[in-house]
Amino acid sequence: MFEIRIICETPEADRITAALGATFRTGTIRRWPARTAGKERLYITADHRPDPTGATWPSPETAYAGAPDITEEFGSLASAMVQSMRPGATTDRALYLRKAALLDRIALLDQDINVSSDSAEVATDAARQLITLDLGGDGNYGGDPFWPEHPATDANPRGYVRQEYAHWAAHQ
């Protein structure tokens, strides 16, 4: 959920609110006069609409069904990261994907056992790193049903990691 603030010409206010209502789920629209004559301030609480195709993110259980044990993956990933830091080595997308998936799994575990930590925030940050990599990359991502530019990806970065991990794991 987010807030939108618009300053517009008074005659355009209805057209703008209708367009926003068609694009987002909107709450009550608050209208106030602007400091400039002939203009209005619009304040709208909005949220992304569900995907019209009905597509959903894979559940963690589905995405990580064949994933290695968290401890095993942690060790394997740490080793791969050390290797990637050597001079001349390159870091491939799979490393970022595995890191984001591991952090997502840790955050889910913390949630399941009621541990208060910042693991969800850390997992979300890692997911955003992967999305940024995919946005600037060569299209080497699954993108089904949500590609990195999709608004649903921005709204649920950890869902994107699960989608991409499931795709990656299925093609290993």
Side-chain angles (χ1 to χ4, degrees), residues 8-20:
C8 63
E9 301 288 329
T10 301
E12 295 178 343
D14 290 333
R15 184 180 58 80
I16 290 170
T17 56
L20 287 170

Side-chain angles (χ1 to χ4, degrees), residues 23 25 48-57 145-147 150-153:
T23 306
R25 282 190 308 205
H48 296 285
R49 288 193 178 279
D51 189 87
T53 64
T56 59
W57 300 108
F146 303 108
W147 59 94
H150 197 285
T153 299

Side-chain angles (χ1 to χ4, degrees), residues 20-95:
L20 287 170
T23 306
F24 301 105
R25 282 190 308 205
T26 58
T28 304
I29 297 170
R30 293 151 335 263
R31 296 171 86 148
W32 298 91
R35 292 185 179 144
T36 307
K39 293 193 175 193
E40 284 188 23
R41 290 179 293 158
L42 307 175
Y43 295 90
I44 302 118
T45 301
D47 201 356
H48 296 285
R49 288 193 178 279
D51 189 87
T53 64
T56 59
W57 300 108
S59 69
E61 295 78 19
T62 301
Y64 304 131
D69 177 74
I70 287 179
T71 309
E72 181 185 327
E73 180 68 350
F74 187 83
S76 175
L77 191 55
S79 176
M81 291 178 105
V82 168
Q83 294 295 326
S84 75
M85 290 189 250
R86 294 180 187 239
T90 59
T91 304
D92 66 346
R93 177 184 183 270
L95 191 64

Side-chain angles (χ1 to χ4, degrees), residues 87-119:
T90 59
T91 304
D92 66 346
R93 177 184 183 270
L95 191 64
Y96 287 98
L97 175 59
R98 288 174 55 207
K99 173 185 159 191
L102 177 64
L103 292 169
D104 183 44
R105 291 171 61 202
I106 291 169
L108 290 165
L109 182 63
D110 283 357
Q111 179 183 331
D112 286 348
I113 61 175
N114 261 349
V115 171
S116 178
S117 74
D118 65 348
S119 60

